[in-house]
Amino acid sequence: MTDKYNNYDKYPEVSIKGYDKCAWQGYEDILKELKQSFSTLKKEKVILVLDFYPGVREEEILQAFTKLNPSLVIKSEDYTYNEDTINSMIKDYLTEDRVFGVLTTKKLQDLFIQEKIEEAQSTIDNLNEGIVLVYGVGASLITKGDILLYFDLARWEIQLRFRAGMENWKANNCKDPILSKYKRGYFVEWRLADKHKKNIFSQINYLIDTNQKDNPKMITGDAIRAGLKQVAEKPFRVVPYFDPGVWGGQWMKEVCGLDKDSPNFAWSFDGVPEENSLYLKFGEVKVEVPSINAVFFEPKKLLGERVHSRFGTEFPIRFDFLDTMGGGNLSLQVHPLTEYIQETFGMHYTQDESYYMLDCGEDACVYLGVKEGIDKDEMIKDLKRAEKGEISFPDYKYINKFPAKKHDHFLIPAGTIHCSGKNSMVLEISATPYIFTFKLWDWERVGLDGLPRPIHLKHGEKVIQWDRDTKWVKENLIDQVEVLTEEDGIRVEKTGLHTREFIETIRHWFSKPVLHKTNGSVNVLNLVEGAEAIVESPSGNFEPFIVHYAETFIIPACIEEYTIRPYGKSEGKEIATIKAYVR
């Protein structure tokens, strides 16, 4: 296990310039600022709208804001359809599957009763003076009011609240398994909320970070919009998070400085804007917002025109960690083909991926593709028997197993059976639809909750590409490194990905500055060798940006060109980055 670097930054920040006095922390200061805003309106009646992302602590917020002594309080949920009706409306999107649903095409307003909204609007109109407080998910569908506040929340914090017993929005399901809550969030709830957020974001007067209990942070709408614009014009990192798992290892504990008392850490998202968040610093106030906000509201600068035209406001590249050092094998799995994910789940692109071996033990391996000449019907039969507990699946009979060493890069186009073995530290570089993993075999394990982990043979057997056998895998997916250029102090290598995959990956080994060009696509990089590096602008368009070993960082497409060179402890030494971009 590597132990020479331990400078990984778990709490990266982006300092926002020009808005130091546009942020407030704590309910007392927030309410004081709002009262000042009321006075500038010079109106007898002030309509204050508090629009929530699903999952914010409603009781906490209402308790604080009723100190404004509103004359009328309106709760948005009173104007939606009831729970049973909503469940019926979204049933087809949730499906009977334990894990997978279908992305909803509905909008948040579809769950509100228009006649009741008109009644609420009439009630507000009939009040002549005082403060009207309208609050809840979709509150601005009733009225935009005089002052509109949006209460935001990071995706990872929502998942932690689900684990602690929180219900989904408009659902009496606090005791449901986390998988059920996550499925409702992923396929329905968050899709509705994100569409709604996009529609009103340009109109909000303030945004409030509600990630910490009883510690809200508020910034003006102008500040958050300017902040996201600044993020999209310079290198940045998202806030990583880490989680244990049944196959988890010990590497990230040491290298990333995690809790030594935790049994393990199985995986980390460090470069997944859909799930990660951003720490934005406004003066002395640090605000946490979902990093997907930068994609939603600055897509052309961040993604590039070409990538934006292809993927819309989705971030197509994902970097994450899979730690099995001292742990166990990942589940044997396969990802859906493009046509399958389109027709079955409503996604327009699939999870092609790759395993970059950031570190390895001596016995590390990767399971990849099927052996030559196997009977596919017999293999499916054995997988089904293993799922029932009748046998232990004889992987050695059907699945290739290849040795792995540090800096190997295994390519895994969708439809290829795969998994990483124990004693590996994988930097997974892939397309973003991360939820669509069809487990075929899980080594007779149960989850951390004591329940059998879901197996998805009904999906998996429909997408396995049986021609991805030993010969094909060796020729197409293993040891595909191609030296592109080499000069004194710099070696540039193409390491993948397969031609079926839209992501290209380039590795640079260097001991002096390297010039990079974004070529119209957002770049995502990781420092895979060396203690430190510094990213600089040849034209001075952004401040120098320091990165450390194993950190993932994002270069917006609009930067066009940048340099990376060894820095600090790495000066005078050879270091390496892996870079991914959309072809």
Side-chain angles (χ1 to χ4, degrees), residues 339-358:
E339 56 267 34
Y340 193 84
I341 205 170
Q342 289 174 340
E343 295 168 2
T344 311
F345 305 114
M347 292 292 296
H348 60 281
Y349 64 104
T350 193
Q351 187 170 323
D352 292 308
E353 65 182 27
S354 65
Y355 287 166
Y356 188 92
M357 310 310 289
L358 199 58

Side-chain angles (χ1 to χ4, degrees), residues 419-474:
C419 81
S420 171
K422 64 182 181 179
N423 291 328
S424 299
M425 181 61 206
V426 173
L427 169 63
E428 188 175 52
I429 302 173
S430 72
T432 302
Y434 46 85
I435 192 176
F436 299 97
T437 296
F438 301 151
K439 296 185 184 70
L440 305 175
W441 167 240
D442 203 29
W443 317 99
E444 301 176 321
R445 293 182 297 211
V446 296
L448 295 182
D449 56 6
L451 299 174
R453 301 182 77 210
I455 298 296
H456 314 111
L457 275 177
K458 289 183 179 179
H459 291 300
E461 66 179 320
K462 296 175 183 176
V463 300
I464 294 170
Q465 299 301 284
W466 299 100
D467 59 347
R468 310 259 173 97
D469 58 14
T470 310
K471 183 175 183 293
W472 190 91
V473 168
K474 287 180 177 179

